[in-house]
Amino acid sequence: MYNIFVLPGDGIGIEVTQSAVRVLKALDLDIKFSYGEIGYECYKRHKTPLPDKTIDQARTCDAVLFGAVTTPPNIENYFSPIVKLRQDLQLYANIRPNKSYPIPGFRENVDLVIVRENTEGLYSGVERTEQSGEKAITERIITNNGCERIIRYAYEMAKKQNRKKLTYVHKANILRQTCGLFRSIAQEISQEYPNITTEEMLVDAMAMQLINKPESFDVIVTTNLFGDILSDEACMLVGGLGLAASANIGKAGALFEPVHGSAPDISGKNIANPFAAIMSAKMMLDYLGEENKAIIIEKSVVSNLKKGYSTKDLGGNLNINQVTDKVIEKIQELIK
Ligand code: NAI
Ligand code: MG
């Protein structure tokens, strides 16, 4: 039996995780779902966006299914609970696949995975001001261990998924110390994987080439901020936020979440696209070793996209519950 800890969070996070859970329940798996609190609504109730109880449960479950949280404006001492949770659980690898699906208006033949370092870099959280606020400083922390584990993760994932090429992305010509370290470790580790073609690319060139020839990339590995930006760019090539799923993986845990936020502009209107959360649940099943069930989810989503069964953001006219019903209907047909 799998113990899945669901953290819906705020806004459409609550709506889309409900859809993902419904889809998982349709798959004949032995899953026990438990629920926890996180985010701004949680802060209003408990004076913290991330209670200790949530961290403890996230640590002991088999996987976390997360929705999205709202960042409130200007509350002193407020912190991002999802960034903190990823750090506390040492979920160092953020995996964001971007694949072409049959949706009119988007790029074809794209099948790339961005592997983003998730715990250090410019998101180290080490910030200060000096000279009475005249000068603000954020420390970009890159460690040997941090580079080694993320680069190794990317190569191992490439090997497992039978992918042929890995591009490591940096800006070592300018950021000579931090990106220099990342680059030299990537060069070293690449020697261990002679069957995977390795290439390097500066981050600005990468931003351009992602638009120019996205079909030429396979696995991309990079530091935290670069990965954050490049993965948002990449998702717009193949369907946008409504489809973008992600995994956060560490040695002792894993958390799966749609890339999008809590979308207050559409929250409560029943029009949020559940595919990103459903595909995150699919990634969770891959992680748990339930690859056959994961494929069924993906097949069902693709079949629905082909028929144009989607929410407004992808050109469809169904609401979130209708899309979820269609996905479940197809799953039931595939399982038979
Ligand atoms: P957002 O991702 O919530 O929304 C951006 C735009 O995309 C909006 O127009 C929204 O309606 C649309 N959108 C997003 N997901 C969609 C879906 N599933 N279906 C249809 N349309 C969708 O980002 P935004 O507006 O910058 O931030 C809103 C709140 O979410 C903020 O408080 C922000 O801090 C938070 N946020 C949280 C994240 C997380 O929990 N991991 C990630 C990004 C933002
Ligand atoms: Mg982002």
Side-chain angles (χ1 to χ4, degrees):
M1 190 180 68
Y2 301 112
N3 278 305
I4 303 304
F5 185 42
V6 187
L7 288 174
D10 301 315
I12 67 164
I14 299 165
E15 303 167 31
V16 298
T17 42
Q18 220 163 35
S19 290
V21 168
R22 280 187 59 206
V23 167
L24 287 167
K25 283 183 174 167
L27 279 164
D28 275 340
L29 284 160
D30 196 4
I31 298 181
K32 183 173 154 270
F33 294 95
S34 54
Y35 288 80
E37 293 180 279
I38 192 167
Y40 185 39
E41 293 303 322
C42 170
Y43 174 86
K44 290 186 200 162
R45 283 189 294 269
H46 305 293
K47 294 273 159 281
T48 171
L50 183 62
D52 288 342
K53 192 173 163 216
T54 296
I55 303 175
D56 290 343
Q57 275 179 276
R59 258 190 234 290
T60 50
C61 67
D62 293 313
V64 180
L65 193 61
F66 171 80
V69 287
T70 297
T71 311
N74 302 330
I75 295 184
E76 200 149 339
N77 296 328
Y78 195 88
F79 58 91
S80 164
I82 180 63
V83 172
K84 172 93 173 20
L85 189 60
R86 290 175 191 145
Q87 278 165 352
D88 280 1
L89 300 179
Q90 280 293 301
L91 304 177
Y92 65 87
N94 189 325
I95 315 301
R96 295 186 174 187
N98 294 96
K99 189 168 162 183
S100 296
Y101 287 115
I103 321 164
F106 290 99
R107 304 286 283 262
E108 288 171 18
N109 305 317
V110 178
D111 183 7
L112 63 87
V113 185
I114 297 184
V115 178
R116 158 189 169 196
E117 204 293 322
N118 221 8
T119 58
E120 50 181 42
L122 254 183
Y123 295 178
S124 66
V126 185
E127 295 193 294
R128 62 182 180 279
T129 51
E130 290 179 359
Q131 299 166 9
S132 321
E134 285 296 306
K135 187 176 180 184
I137 298 165
T138 300
E139 286 187 24
R140 183 170 197 256
I141 297 175
I142 300 284
T143 66
N144 198 316
N145 177 45
C147 293
E148 188 170 336
R149 66 184 182 180
I150 194 68
I151 293 162
R152 215 172 270 292
Y153 185 94
Y155 273 107
E156 285 299 319
M157 188 199 76
K159 208 164 104 179
K160 196 171 160 223
Q161 296 183 3
N162 204 17
R163 291 177 177 272
K164 303 286 179 236
K165 192 172 95 168
L166 180 145
T167 309
Y168 62 89
V169 176
H170 58 77
K171 189 75 183 176
N173 54 336
I174 310 291
L175 303 171
R176 300 180 79 89
Q177 293 300 325
T178 50
C179 274
L181 181 59
F182 179 81
R183 177 175 187 253
S184 73
I185 293 170
Q187 280 170 337
E188 208 176 291
I189 294 175
S190 70
Q191 305 300 316
E192 296 171 34
Y193 297 88
N195 296 328
I196 294 169
T197 304
T198 298
E199 68 174 14
E200 66 176 312
M201 197 164 282
L202 295 174
V203 65
D204 41 355
M206 184 73 224
M208 183 185 69
Q209 294 301 352
L210 258 184
I211 305 289
N212 187 35
K213 43 171 192 172
E215 62 290 338
S216 73
F217 296 101
D218 201 344
V219 175
I220 295 166
V221 61
T222 190
T223 48
N224 205 339
L225 172 68
F226 295 164
D228 192 4
I229 298 169
L230 291 175
S231 58
D232 274 26
E233 184 189 352
C235 88
M236 279 320 294
L237 298 167
V238 292
L241 283 174
L243 256 181
S246 76
N248 299 267
I249 295 178
K251 275 207 184 74
L255 179 150
F256 300 83
E257 56 172 322
V259 170
H260 63 73
S262 61
D265 55 334
I266 59 167
S267 159
K269 295 184 179 159
N270 216 16
I271 55 171
N273 188 336
F275 283 138
I278 291 170
M279 289 302 281
S280 302
K282 179 248 175 215
M283 292 181 80
M284 183 178 84
L285 294 185
D286 275 326
Y287 167 81
L288 293 170
E290 295 286 348
E291 286 94 351
N292 293 337
K293 298 281 161 90
I295 289 171
I296 288 175
I297 293 185
E298 186 174 16
K299 277 190 177 153
S300 170
V301 167
V302 172
S303 151
N304 281 289
L305 285 169
K306 259 191 198 143
K307 293 178 189 147
Y309 296 155
S310 61
T311 42
K312 210 171 77 186
D313 57 304
L314 291 180
N317 58 7
L318 301 186
N319 69 35
I320 182 170
N321 298 323
Q322 292 166 324
V323 171
T324 311
D325 290 344
K326 289 283 181 201
V327 172
I328 291 171
E329 245 171 63
K330 186 70 195 175
I331 284 175
Q332 281 160 349
E333 196 186 305
L334 289 166
I335 280 181
K336 255 188 251 159

